[in-house]
Structures are given as C-alpha cells and as structure tokens.
Amino acid sequence: MRSTPKPSSRPPSEKQLLQQNKFKLVINFLQPIKNIQSRYFGSGSGSKSRVNMATSYTINEAVQVTANVPSLVYNKILITKGNLAGFQNPSAVPQSGQMLSLSWEDNSIQGNAKATDIANAVCYCEELGTFEIFQSLNDRSSVTADITLAPYYSGKEIHVWMYFNIEESLACNSPYLGMFTVL
C-alpha cells in the first residue's frame, strides 16, 4: 500500500508542465470513447485497466510536441486494440446528405476473422470537439456500410476510424481511414 504524495510547494518544471498538458489533452480526447476502450483496448492485465492502457498508448504514440505545445496525431490514434483480424483495404467516401459510405474487402478466411464479425465506426470533429459512434453497422462479409451524420456536420471535417468486434471483449486494431469533409 502506498501513501498519498504530499503536495509540492515548488512550481512544476517545464518538463512536468509539458507532461501535464499532454495528459490533459489525451484525457479530454479519450473521455467520450471510454466505454468502447474499457471493452476493446488490449487485454486489461494486472493493475492497468484498458482505459489506462489506451491513455498510455495515446500519450506515447499519438502526441507530437511543437514549441512545447502538444497536439494529437490522428493517424496514429487507436480507438480499439486487439487480436481480432482487422480490415483489409478499408475506405470511406463522403456522400451528399451528411452520409459517409464505408467499404472493405471480405477477409473472413484470414486468421481468426469470421464473416459475422461486427463493423463499427467512430467519427471525430475537431472543430466541434465531438464524437459520433456508430455500432453494429454490418458484418464483415457485407463489405459496406453507410453512416449518416447530423446536419450540423455539413461542411465540417471529421476523422474516421473503424473496428470489428465479436463478443464483449475481442476487437481488432482500429484503422484510421482519414479526414473527410462532410457533404
């Protein structure tokens, strides 16, 4: 058992401030998707929860610092991380009416992939600071899914990730599909 650290009377160093800012940035970003990551990020082992593993991964792998200001590197962010076979050639194409057409190739014969694995999508609008989560869109063998965003996303840029999952705790690493302008 550890005791609670005593507050320091010394001001934080520049390095400590940078680490605090990185942590704050990542926590604020990941908070809305905490429910997904608590089920589908790694394999919560020992004292480290899946959410803590997601936070640690994001701070170490998906944050860049320019002039002491941390920022997220969206193409390095993982929404889910797991051992399920992932997507083969996933893509997204914006359509009119705030719609996004998602597609991928059926790779249900590879590794532990099954035709019945469920496809999901996560969209993030940096300008609005909002996530849209689309679960149970279609199965792996369907190779397409369409999602429709709310009208207020029209003209906004969104970042898109997808993931497959089965059961309550098995998912693939979530590929980043890119940033798209909603039509």
Side-chain angles (χ1 to χ4, degrees), residues 12 17 20 32-33 43 45 47 57 62-63 76 83-84 89 107 110 119 135 137 158 160 162 167 169 171 173 183:
L17 281 174
Q20 289 170 5
I33 55 174
S43 56
S45 59
S47 61
Y57 170 85
V63 173
K76 292 185 176 181
N83 295 325
L84 184 62
N89 298 321
N107 61 339
Q110 293 177 334
Q135 295 180 305
L137 292 171
I158 59 167
V160 180
M162 289 185 72
E167 301 159 5
S169 62
N173 288 355
L183 304 176

Side-chain angles (χ1 to χ4, degrees), residues 34-43 50 79-82 120 135 163-173:
K34 187 176 179 179
N35 192 32
I36 294 170
Q37 293 184 322
S38 68
R39 292 183 297 175
Y40 303 122
F41 202 95
S43 56
R50 291 171 182 221
I79 304 297
T80 60
K81 184 177 181 185
N120 308 272
Q135 295 180 305
Y163 67 94
F164 282 124
N165 74 281
I166 56 172
E167 301 159 5
E168 267 307 300
S169 62
L170 187 59
C172 69
N173 288 355

Side-chain angles (χ1 to χ4, degrees), residues 11-26:
S13 70
E14 197 173 299
K15 201 171 181 181
Q16 287 171 321
L17 281 174
L18 177 60
Q19 191 62 22
Q20 289 170 5
N21 289 337
K22 287 164 71 174
F23 187 76
K24 184 177 179 182
L25 172 72
V26 169

Side-chain angles (χ1 to χ4, degrees), residues 136-166:
S136 301
L137 292 171
N138 229 334
D139 60 30
R140 189 185 295 260
S141 64
S142 296
V143 302
T144 64
D146 291 330
I147 57 175
T148 304
L149 293 146
Y152 56 83
Y153 283 102
S154 184
K156 306 277 189 231
E157 292 182 334
I158 59 167
H159 298 272
V160 180
W161 295 264
M162 289 185 72
Y163 67 94
F164 282 124
N165 74 281
I166 56 172

Side-chain angles (χ1 to χ4, degrees), residues 7-145:
S8 173
S9 59
R10 287 185 282 169
S13 70
E14 197 173 299
K15 201 171 181 181
Q16 287 171 321
L17 281 174
L18 177 60
Q19 191 62 22
Q20 289 170 5
N21 289 337
K22 287 164 71 174
F23 187 76
K24 184 177 179 182
L25 172 72
V26 169
I27 290 297
N28 288 339
F29 176 77
L30 295 179
Q31 184 63 35
I33 55 174
K34 187 176 179 179
N35 192 32
I36 294 170
Q37 293 184 322
S38 68
R39 292 183 297 175
Y40 303 122
F41 202 95
S43 56
S45 59
S47 61
K48 212 166 190 192
S49 74
R50 291 171 182 221
V51 172
N52 287 347
M53 290 189 313
T55 302
S56 178
Y57 170 85
T58 306
I59 288 171
N60 293 321
E61 303 295 331
V63 173
Q64 71 180 10
V65 178
T66 306
N68 271 346
V69 177
S71 61
L72 295 168
V73 181
Y74 293 101
N75 66 346
K76 292 185 176 181
I77 292 173
L78 288 178
I79 304 297
T80 60
K81 184 177 181 185
N83 295 325
L84 184 62
F87 285 87
Q88 185 168 326
N89 298 321
S91 67
V93 178
Q95 305 290 333
S96 61
Q98 300 84 44
M99 196 167 82
L100 204 58
S101 291
L102 307 169
S103 64
W104 58 90
E105 292 177 16
D106 183 4
N107 61 339
S108 56
I109 59 170
Q110 293 177 334
N112 61 353
K114 292 187 173 70
T116 55
D117 296 342
I118 304 298
N120 308 272
V122 175
C123 302
Y124 176 70
C125 179
E126 185 175 13
E127 181 182 337
L128 300 174
T130 57
F131 278 95
E132 295 296 328
I133 299 167
F134 300 90
Q135 295 180 305
S136 301
L137 292 171
N138 229 334
D139 60 30
R140 189 185 295 260
S141 64
S142 296
V143 302
T144 64

